[in-house]
Amino acid sequence: MTQDLVIGLDSSTQSTKAVAWTRNGTPVAEGRASIPLSQPQPGWVEQDVEDWWSAACTALQDLGNKIDMSRVAALAISNQRETVAFLDADGNALRPAALWLDERARAEVELLSREIGAEKLHRVSGKPIDITPVIYRLSWFRRNQPEVLERAAKVTDVHCFLTGRLTGNWMSSWTSADPFGLLDIESMTWSEEFLTHLGIRADQLGTLARPGTVTGTVTAEAAAGTGLPEGLPLVAAGGDGQCAGLGVNAAREGVVYLNLGTALITGAWAPDPMISLNWRTMTSPTGNGYFLEGCQRAGAFLINWFVDTFAGGRDDPSVFSRLEAEAETIPLGSEGVTVCPYLTGCMDPHWDTGARASFNGLSPNHGLGHLYRAVLEAMTLESARAITAMQDNGLKIEKIVAVGGGGNSPLWTRMFADATGLPVHISQSLEASSLGAAMSAATGAGWFETLDAAAAAMSEEGETVIPDPSMQDAWRALSARQFASYRPEYAGT
């Protein structure tokens, strides 16, 4: 039988999706399984690695009930980033994995910054000082539970763990290793200085592979658990944020990738590892160049929190359409209401984990529509500022490609177009992270010579929102007022 499909296995924070894709990027079938979270102490967020594996098995078996697995040419993994597992020599967990949402290492951010140097941490890893990279949690374990690091044969990301289970080869991709904050993003090797400081050996970490390269083949044992064919090639893909950018063909010059999801990601490709507090510098999902990411931790989470807390909750299927309709009637600026959107802390450009959200300028004349619109305006302006900073640093940006649930909001996509002066193309590539992984699988299978060629062939754009030039001055004025309302020192930036 012709091998005319590839699988993108997306192991995200709360679920695993196994999607079969054609050569032109059409999804044929999918399987899904949920992954539970636990919070054993305040600020700790953990998962059982066996839940990663069982979810992968369930999702793949579900997919296998819908397609003939002999049609599959290769598989690649997209994974939740900044999550770390500790395994013994047999690949079994020594303790639960610590997720990217985990905040136990809050004190380590300042301590490690003093010990190694904030500038060096940022320059080598591309990551500004922030609680999210794994390096700070590893420092916490070294100080508080050193036996975990001493006993660990493997300290892995999700990609490495699943690759090990599927093939027996414990391999990370550049883009799955990068979010650890331990990777020298210029040499694409683990930083010896950082490892030495933490007391970790390079052999405890995954072997590094370039995206799009074959990392092994599915073993007989893994085939029995997943329904995959024994001997199926597994191809390196990596972090779900970068994979999603690849999935909408944004890992190239001139395009900004806008993920309007739980976290709001603004990503742009750059040929060189540009370092700035306005973004975190990630490795590119193509293996060539870099991805500059502006990131709002709350994103759609802030919208959902607002709706659940003040607007009756998302169980009402019409709640968003009502709020959108009301907000549409309110002029730009929400008639004086501004919002500080840092519900779960601020990443770029302030990197303040203690920052929190606020509503400002409220009066008796304001209703839910004003507050809802002000939330959208605030997040739009945060992303617009990140894009402007990229342009000011020499990046040529011609358009935005939007993906995620927020892309279904005509109001919000119109805001992004008018605030940035850039056309917003709504991606038709659903499940962008899985598709980005599938592009890696297709390249590793030999369907395309490069990941760029795979992305061009397998992605699709739909409706385009053209910016209204007459709104530019009003958005600039709102930007100055918005940022001055809660961080005066950043007014106009």
Side-chain angles (χ1 to χ4, degrees), residues 395-417:
L395 284 193
K396 181 181 179 182
I397 298 175
E398 299 172 346
K399 68 178 183 179
I400 296 170
V401 178
V403 69
N408 296 319
S409 167
L411 173 62
W412 205 6
T413 51
R414 162 59 55 193
M415 286 182 178
F416 278 106

Side-chain angles (χ1 to χ4, degrees), residues 377-444:
E377 289 177 347
M379 290 191 289
T380 299
L381 286 168
E382 291 284 342
S383 293
R385 178 172 56 181
I387 292 170
T388 298
M390 294 173 189
Q391 293 171 316
D392 290 345
N393 279 269
L395 284 193
K396 181 181 179 182
I397 298 175
E398 299 172 346
K399 68 178 183 179
I400 296 170
V401 178
V403 69
N408 296 319
S409 167
L411 173 62
W412 205 6
T413 51
R414 162 59 55 193
M415 286 182 178
F416 278 106
D418 290 346
T420 63
L422 296 167
V424 175
H425 298 251
I426 311 302
S427 173
Q428 298 301 296
S429 302
L430 303 177
E431 301 295 349
S433 294
S434 171
L435 178 54
M439 291 170 178
S440 293
T443 305

Side-chain angles (χ1 to χ4, degrees), residues 187-207:
S187 66
M188 297 299 178
T189 59
W190 297 114
S191 166
E192 292 185 9
E193 180 179 354
F194 293 177
L195 297 188
T196 299
H197 188 90
L198 295 170
I200 296 174
R201 307 182 312 276
D203 63 73
Q204 289 177 284
L205 300 166
T207 303

Side-chain angles (χ1 to χ4, degrees), residues 32-44:
R32 291 176 179 255
S34 61
I35 305 173
L37 294 170
S38 66
Q39 295 180 275
Q41 296 186 36
W44 292 25

Side-chain angles (χ1 to χ4, degrees), residues 362-375:
L362 293 175
S363 78
N365 298 322
H366 295 132
L368 286 177
H370 292 86
L371 275 62
Y372 179 78
R373 182 183 178 98
V375 167

Side-chain angles (χ1 to χ4, degrees), residues 163-237:
T163 300
R165 283 290 177 92
L166 287 166
T167 70
N169 299 329
W170 299 92
M171 300 191 72
S172 299
S173 77
W174 292 353
T175 60
S176 73
D178 170 34
F180 267 41
L182 296 173
L183 188 75
D184 184 323
I185 62 170
E186 291 200 50
S187 66
M188 297 299 178
T189 59
W190 297 114
S191 166
E192 292 185 9
E193 180 179 354
F194 293 177
L195 297 188
T196 299
H197 188 90
L198 295 170
I200 296 174
R201 307 182 312 276
D203 63 73
Q204 289 177 284
L205 300 166
T207 303
L208 295 169
R210 184 187 183 94
T213 58
V214 176
T215 57
T217 58
V218 173
T219 65
E221 181 180 1
T226 61
L228 293 169
E230 182 181 355
L232 180 74
L234 183 65
V235 181

Side-chain angles (χ1 to χ4, degrees), residues 81-93:
R81 302 185 291 185
E82 293 111 358
T83 290
V84 59
F86 305 90
L87 312 176
D88 64 19
D90 296 321
N92 299 312

Side-chain angles (χ1 to χ4, degrees), residues 85-144:
F86 305 90
L87 312 176
D88 64 19
D90 296 321
N92 299 312
L94 296 172
R95 69 173 319 282
L99 266 65
W100 63 275
L101 293 163
D102 193 284
E103 296 186 351
R104 77 187 68 197
R106 187 178 293 274
E108 297 298 322
V109 176
E110 182 179 350
L111 289 170
L112 210 58
S113 298
R114 290 203 304 265
E115 293 173 354
I116 295 178
E119 186 277 333
K120 179 176 287 185
L121 284 164
H122 189 183
R123 174 173 45 83
V124 172
S125 73
K127 314 300 176 287
I129 304 307
D130 177 59
I131 197 171
T132 309
V134 172
I135 186 172
Y136 302 103
R137 263 164 287 151
L138 294 177
S139 180
W140 184 93
F141 280 104
R142 174 56 68 194
R143 297 181 203 272
N144 295 277

